[in-house]
Amino acid sequence: MIFGAAFASQDKNGFSFGDQILRGIGFKAWSDPESNMGFYYTALYSLVFVIVGWWRAVCLLKEFQPKIARQMIVLFFITIFFLAPAINSVMKQVYYSWQSGIAAVEYYPEESRCSISRESENVPAKLNCQFTFENHQSYEG
């Protein structure tokens, strides 16, 4: 259940370790992978993982801890709101630590901006851009 919730969890920059796992084994995370649009297959797989995890957790807890089994909905929301984002954050660091070169660089579109200014019609426009990147590659030497 925890894995299923974390599988489709995304950070503020759109990183999802579920997407990375699917791409790594040759599956598409989106029906239109070029633009990351369309049907989100990662959510479907995540839902399957959550349902199977829920079912197994309830079965095991009914046998060993019936009081906890009745509190499954609370545990589920704790998982969704607290554990899944934390797991995704850790998996993001692990993912980027395995990358090298340009694959280890993360682009932050929300923190990047461009502005265009033009003094007059006869003068070319000026484009002023600021892009934010983070290099996750560690250099040891």
Side-chain angles (χ1 to χ4, degrees):
M1 184 172 74
I2 293 171
F3 177 77
F7 194 77
S9 176
Q10 291 187 347
D11 71 358
K12 67 177 184 172
N13 203 29
F15 178 86
S16 167
F17 88 93
D19 290 0
Q20 302 306 324
I21 290 172
L22 291 177
R23 288 184 191 120
I25 60 175
F27 293 161
K28 294 191 289 186
W30 292 89
S31 58
D32 182 7
E34 294 298 318
S35 62
N36 284 348
M37 300 289 279
F39 187 77
Y40 190 41
Y41 295 119
T42 305
L44 179 66
Y45 294 125
S46 178
L47 184 62
V48 170
F49 294 142
V50 167
I51 290 170
V52 170
W54 182 285
W55 176 72
R56 290 298 301 147
V58 168
C59 289
L60 288 172
L61 289 173
K62 276 185 181 178
E63 186 176 331
F64 299 109
Q65 296 289 330
K67 288 182 181 181
I68 296 176
R70 288 187 291 261
Q71 300 295 325
M72 281 298 291
I73 194 75
V74 173
L75 294 174
F76 177 72
F77 282 111
I78 289 171
T79 298
I80 292 292
F81 293 114
F82 298 107
L83 289 178
I87 291 169
N88 190 55
S89 178
V90 169
M91 292 309 297
K92 178 180 178 177
Q93 296 304 320
V94 170
Y95 170 78
Y96 278 115
S97 72
W98 292 341
Q99 304 303 312
S100 63
I102 194 69
V105 176
E106 182 178 13
Y107 167 60
Y108 291 93
E110 296 293 322
E111 297 174 16
S112 302
R113 58 190 118 318
C114 284
S115 63
I116 300 172
S117 62
R118 180 177 243 168
E119 294 176 14
S120 69
E121 288 293 320
N122 298 335
V123 178
K126 292 182 181 179
L127 182 64
N128 184 15
C129 293
Q130 177 184 348
F131 299 104
T132 305
F133 298 95
E134 182 177 355
N135 186 356
H136 294 275
Q137 187 171 1
S138 62
Y139 295 98
E140 297 178 20

